[in-house]
Amino acid sequence: MRDYYTITELTREFGISTRTLRFYEDEGLIHPLRRGRTRLFRPSDRVLVRQIMRGKRLGFSISEIRQIIQMYKEPPGEVGQLKMMLTRIEEKRGDLRQKRRDLEETLAELDQAEESCLERLAELGVTT
Amino acid sequence: MRDYYTITELTREFGISTRTLRFYEDEGLIHPLRRGRTRLFRPSDRVLVRQIMRGKRLGFSISEIRQIIQMYKEPPGEVGQLKMMLTRIEEKRGDLRQKRRDLEETLAELDQAEESCLERLAELGVTT
DNA sequence: CGAATAATTGACTTTTACGTAAACGCCGTG
DNA sequence: CACGGCGTTTACGTAAAAGTCAATTATTCG
């Protein structure tokens, strides 16, 4: 486990640009350290970037991703806030469950589409 | 099963605007019939809209959704095209499987976050 | 030391996915 | 018949999420 990553190491690892990482910093999603002006990314920043990329692939917006990331952080000290957080966690879970249904349905339809193609190929006398 | 739906019926059902439906038509995702200039949406158009909304929730772009919709259509007649289609189906399946992994991981982390919150609440002597 | 390499900031641009507004057509109803 | 409601087209606007470019500053390596 390395101490620090440079910005370009992370861009290569995740296939994104430096501009994108700076953008995420501007948006308050990550907070890399600085040596002078140069950013130093800790392993924990790297984990955050991984979570951001996951969120992006799932079609969450930056602000939704921000919300999700908040949930992973140390839970707050106040009871009201804790209960709020539990509510929001449940909401996000709802989103994700919807996405999962969407996903399974889409996969099923792709299976069907594939079968149609294979049938059609068989009709044409092509052995797959 | 109705013959036709008006544009506003579909906007209400799916919670989207007429602008959005016209946009999807411009983008070639749907092809409602016309009576004069007025659009008539068939049940099949409605199914397409449902698929579009699913795609959107999963974070697919319009052009990705277009590709997916192509796959649901009648398979083409030519062998080369059929094989291409099978390849693309496999690709999309890959995308979806990645999304599923992302989804499960995110759900797991939300579970963890929830547990932390509950623990913290317990420490504070709150009975949930 | 000096050139090359890597990073930074800031401003401007682009793409996607619609929103919004203007101006008009069509149709049923009082 | 005119008016309210729905629908249409055309055109311009906008927010999010970066991309691109320019000017500047470290850092490093020979």
Side-chain angles (χ1 to χ4, degrees):
Chain A
M1 179 85 90
R2 298 265 309 277
D3 273 10
Y4 297 116
Y5 303 87
T6 71
I7 196 167
T8 33
E9 281 172 342
L10 290 192
T11 64
R12 291 206 184 104
E13 173 169 2
F14 293 105
I16 57 184
S17 68
T18 60
R19 179 72 185 79
T20 301
L21 282 171
R22 283 185 218 114
F23 175 70
Y24 292 154
E25 184 180 3
D26 287 348
E27 290 294 313
L29 300 182
I30 49 181
H31 302 282
L33 295 180
R34 299 287 178 124
R35 180 178 47 205
R37 301 195 312 166
T38 304
R39 291 164 178 83
L40 297 176
F41 292 81
R42 287 156 292 185
S44 64
D45 293 312
R46 189 159 157 274
V47 169
L48 276 177
V49 174
R50 188 190 306 285
Q51 289 168 344
I52 294 168
M53 299 316 286
R54 268 205 326 244
K56 287 213 57 187
R57 283 193 297 268
L58 289 173
F60 286 113
S61 72
I62 295 297
S63 74
E64 286 172 318
I65 290 173
R66 193 181 3 249
Q67 287 170 33
I68 295 175
I69 282 180
Q70 299 280 329
M71 297 173 191
Y72 298 152
K73 290 193 176 158
E74 266 307 277
E78 204 234 309
V79 175
Q81 299 226 336
L82 279 165
K83 291 193 170 178
M84 270 254 300
M85 189 171 247
L86 283 173
T87 305
R88 283 199 312 230
I89 287 176
E90 194 47 49
E91 276 173 26
K92 283 297 159 198
R93 200 155 23 209
D95 288 0
L96 287 167
R97 292 213 176 104
Q98 176 63 57
K99 281 184 204 287
R100 183 155 56 187
R101 282 193 296 277
D102 290 330
L103 210 151
E104 299 302 344
E105 287 171 23
T106 307
L107 274 172
E109 289 183 350
L110 283 185
D111 285 351
Q112 266 206 280
E114 182 175 43
E115 235 179 286
S116 302
C117 283
L118 290 174
E119 273 178 37
R120 191 83 190 81
L121 275 175
E123 282 171 32
L124 294 172
V126 181
T127 55
T128 51
Chain B
M1 177 86 87
R2 299 264 309 276
D3 274 10
Y4 297 116
Y5 303 88
T6 71
I7 196 166
T8 32
E9 282 172 341
L10 291 192
T11 63
R12 290 204 185 103
E13 174 169 2
F14 293 104
I16 56 182
S17 69
T18 60
R19 177 73 181 82
T20 301
L21 282 171
R22 289 190 206 107
F23 174 71
Y24 292 157
E25 185 180 1
D26 286 348
E27 291 291 316
L29 300 182
I30 50 180
H31 302 282
L33 295 180
R34 297 288 178 125
R35 182 178 45 208
R37 299 197 312 167
T38 305
R39 290 167 178 81
L40 298 174
F41 292 80
R42 289 157 291 184
S44 64
D45 292 313
R46 188 157 157 277
V47 168
L48 275 177
V49 174
R50 187 190 305 287
Q51 289 169 346
I52 294 168
M53 300 316 285
R54 270 206 323 247
K56 285 212 55 184
R57 283 193 297 268
L58 289 173
F60 285 115
S61 72
I62 296 295
S63 75
E64 286 172 319
I65 290 173
R66 193 180 4 248
Q67 289 171 31
I68 294 174
I69 282 180
Q70 298 281 330
M71 297 175 192
Y72 298 152
K73 290 195 175 155
E74 268 305 279
E78 205 234 308
V79 175
Q81 299 225 337
L82 279 164
K83 291 193 168 178
M84 270 252 303
M85 187 170 249
L86 283 174
T87 304
R88 283 197 313 230
I89 287 176
E90 194 46 48
E91 276 173 25
K92 282 297 160 199
R93 200 152 25 207
D95 288 1
L96 287 166
R97 293 212 177 107
Q98 175 64 57
K99 281 184 203 291
R100 181 153 58 187
R101 281 193 296 277
D102 291 330
L103 209 151
E104 299 303 344
E105 285 171 24
T106 308
L107 274 172
E109 289 183 350
L110 284 185
D111 285 351
Q112 265 207 279
E114 183 176 41
E115 234 179 287
S116 301
C117 284
L118 290 174
E119 271 179 39
R120 193 83 190 79
L121 276 174
E123 283 172 31
L124 295 172
V126 182
T127 55
T128 50

